Amino acid sequence: MTEPKDIVLKESEEVEGTPIEGPWLDDVSSIEEVLDYYERIGFQATHLGKAIEIWKKVEKRRAEGKEVRVFLGYTSNIISSGLRELVAWLVKEGKVDVIVTTAGGIEEDFIKTLKPFILGDWNVNDALMREKGINRIGNIFVPNDRYIEFEKYMIPFFERVLEMEKERGKPLTASEFIYEMGRYMDEKLGKEKEKSVIYWAYKRNVPIFCPAITDGSIGDMLYFFKEERGDRELIIDIANDIVKLNNLAVTAKETASIILGGSLPKHAIINANLFRGGTDYAIYITTAIPWDGSLSGAPPSEGVSWGKIRAKADYVEIWADATLVFPVLVWKVMKG
C-alpha cells in the first residue's frame, strides 16, 4: 500500500525552462522595463510577451527587405474605441498592407471625423437613452446627430459613385468604394481626417476589404438613397474583391495576420491565407471562447487543422480585451 506521504510528496522529473518572475519595482525605472518581464509573468501576460516577440520578428524581416505582407483584421468596436487612432497610425507609418473589417469599422471611422464619440457609462436606462436619441456601444455614447451628419455626406457620395459606375460601365468593388471614400474625405473634411484609417489607407494605397459593407449605417444610407430615388443602378461588387483579397495572400512570400476580435474579418483573412498553405505569423486578441465552436473563439491551432495557419507558423492567442493590450503591443513593437 502506498503511504499518504509518498502520494502527496511524489517525486518529480526535472523541468527545464524559463523561471516565472515578475518585475521587482526597486529594480525597474520605466514601463518599458516592466514590459520586458511579460514573457516570464505567466498566463496571458506571457502570451502578450510572445505577441511582442512575433511582431518584432515580422518588423525585423521587413526592415531587412524581406517581403512579409501584414494583414490586419478588426471588428467595428475597435474603431468605436480609442484603438481607432492606433490603427490609423499603423497605416500611416506603413506597418499594415491589407485591412479587413466590418461595416461599422468603415462608417464609424468616417463619422468620428465629423463629431467624436463620448465616454459614457455601462449602467444606464437604455429606454431613456433611446428617447433622447443616444446610441450606446458599451460605455461609449453616440448621439444620433452623428448619423444625421453622416447622411449629409453619404448621399452626395453615393451620387458620385453612381456617376463613376456609369462612366466606367461596371460597379465599384467594396474596396474601391472605400478607397473613394478616402478620396472624398481628403476633399471634403478638415484636419480631423488625419486620424482616420480610411484617409490614411487612401493616401498609402492600403486596400480595405469589407465583404458585409451594407451591414450598418452605410446600408441604411443606401436604403434611403435607393428608396427616395427609386434607384436600382448603384451596385457595390463584393465578388471581385474576394479574388483581390485571396491573391494578396497567394502572391505574398510570407504573411502575418494580426486579428483583433473575431467574426468576418478574422475568417476572411485566414481563409485567404488557406490558398497559399496558411499564414506564417498570427496574433489573435480576443475574448471569445472556443467551446461553442464559433470561428470567433477558434484558437490558432484550430486554424492549422484547416490549413489556414501553417503548422510551423509563429502564432499566439491573447485572451483579453483588445483595448487593454493592443496599445501595449503596438508601443512595445514600434517604440519600445
Side-chain angles (χ1 to χ4, degrees), residues 95-114:
K95 305 300 183 182
V96 173
D97 302 305
V98 184
I99 291 173
V100 183
T101 189
T102 56
I106 303 301
E107 63 211 24
E108 291 183 17
D109 179 63
F110 192 109
I111 292 168
K112 279 187 168 185
T113 64
L114 306 176

Side-chain angles (χ1 to χ4, degrees), residues 99-169:
I99 291 173
V100 183
T101 189
T102 56
I106 303 301
E107 63 211 24
E108 291 183 17
D109 179 63
F110 192 109
I111 292 168
K112 279 187 168 185
T113 64
L114 306 176
K115 288 188 176 182
F117 291 5
I118 304 299
L119 183 62
D121 200 286
W122 293 93
N123 299 309
V124 295
N125 182 329
D126 286 296
L128 182 60
M129 293 276 284
R130 179 60 185 165
E131 286 181 18
K132 293 182 176 182
I134 301 172
N135 307 289
R136 182 168 70 87
I137 306 168
N139 64 345
I140 297 171
F141 291 177
V142 189
N144 229 35
D145 67 342
R146 273 65 173 169
Y147 294 99
I148 294 169
E149 191 70 13
F150 183 51
E151 186 194 21
K152 292 177 184 177
Y153 282 87
M154 290 308 293
I155 298 304
F157 177 66
F158 291 148
E159 290 170 349
R160 174 189 286 198
V161 169
L162 184 54
E163 287 304 310
M164 290 178 64
E165 292 186 343
K166 287 178 179 177
E167 287 176 9
R168 61 187 245 165

Side-chain angles (χ1 to χ4, degrees), residues 80-101:
S80 309
S81 75
L83 295 186
R84 172 216 187 208
E85 285 71 21
L86 277 175
V87 174
W89 183 89
L90 289 168
V91 178
K92 173 180 175 286
E93 296 298 319
K95 305 300 183 182
V96 173
D97 302 305
V98 184
I99 291 173
V100 183
T101 189

Side-chain angles (χ1 to χ4, degrees), residues 289-304:
I289 59 172
W291 317 121
D292 61 357
S294 68
L295 186 279
S296 292
S301 57
E302 187 173 308
V304 172

